[in-house]
Amino acid sequence: MPGTTAWAGFYELAAPRKGENVEILKNKFGFDDAFNYKEEQDLDAALKRCFPDGIDIYFENVGGKMLDAVLLNMRLHGRITACGMISQYNLSQPEGVHNMMNIVFKRIQMKGFLATDYFPEYAKFLEVVLPLIRERKIVYLEDIVEGLENAPAALVGLFTGRNVGKQVVVVSRE
């Protein structure tokens, strides 16, 4: 499912073009620059550091203050695909987003979606992605926890940013 979400949000909805600036990760995937939104005091400054020319495509799954800062840094005619807002899930009072007028001023397209919207396209997804995985052009990460007794801590880790990649709980190796 996470692969379908990434594929649909990025390739089917955002439709990147050569030379555009996209939200990035560097350590595991070799991209130019990255930051942890939970550790930055000034998200706007962090985005300007990583994207001095602005952002063309943003894959939204954080929400709140991060989305607010992203809207300030989007380029004209930028695209935002939204599949979640993890920073908002456990708040009793969700954070407001104050920079929404940038959607109008910069003519930004923002579209929400669920992975299930693209389940009918699953065969197409597999045609595109499986060869790329075999050629190691797509690398995926799994955070594996051993034992059912560790499942509750692994679940809590999803909401605190402890895991990297798909969280998997191995109940038994037999």
Side-chain angles (χ1 to χ4, degrees):
M1 185 191 75
T4 306
T5 304
W7 168 77
F10 195 67
Y11 291 106
E12 294 295 305
L13 295 175
R17 295 181 287 271
K18 187 174 181 165
E20 290 187 319
N21 298 313
V22 181
E23 188 190 24
I24 49 182
L25 293 173
K26 68 180 188 183
N27 294 337
K28 292 268 183 191
F29 299 106
F31 290 101
D32 302 328
D33 207 345
F35 66 88
N36 183 337
Y37 75 94
K38 294 177 184 177
E39 296 174 3
E40 292 288 337
Q41 295 298 313
D42 185 341
L43 294 170
D44 182 47
L47 288 167
K48 282 181 176 27
R49 181 180 72 238
C50 293
F51 301 97
D53 297 326
I55 302 167
D56 292 297
I57 296 172
Y58 178 67
F59 196 104
E60 173 59 82
N61 56 14
V62 176
K65 293 174 186 169
M66 185 66 199
L67 176 57
D68 220 19
V70 164
L71 288 169
L72 291 173
N73 288 278
M74 291 298 293
R75 293 180 68 174
L76 195 63
H77 301 288
R79 280 110 52 222
I80 299 173
T81 58
C83 68
M85 297 195 177
I86 190 80
S87 72
Q88 305 301 293
Y89 294 165
N90 294 317
L91 299 179
S92 57
Q93 186 70 33
E95 297 170 342
V97 177
H98 306 283
N99 296 316
M100 295 297 282
M101 274 305 291
N102 282 287
I103 293 175
V104 176
F105 296 147
K106 297 179 180 182
R107 278 84 83 207
I108 297 167
Q109 292 179 18
M110 185 170 180
K111 182 168 181 160
F113 74 101
L114 299 172
T116 54
D117 297 341
Y118 288 87
F119 282 179
E121 305 286 331
Y122 194 67
K124 181 180 176 183
F125 163 74
L126 291 176
E127 277 180 37
V128 171
V129 172
L130 287 179
L132 296 172
I133 290 172
R134 287 186 197 108
E135 296 168 23
R136 300 187 92 31
K137 291 181 179 175
I138 289 181
V139 178
Y140 61 90
L141 298 175
E142 292 179 335
D143 188 332
I144 300 172
V145 174
E146 299 278 343
L148 188 57
E149 67 279 5
N150 295 313
L155 178 63
V156 169
L158 292 174
F159 297 100
T160 61
R162 188 203 60 76
N163 73 305
V164 175
K166 178 69 176 171
Q167 183 67 67
V168 176
V169 176
V170 176
V171 177
S172 173
R173 294 274 180 192
E174 298 175 18

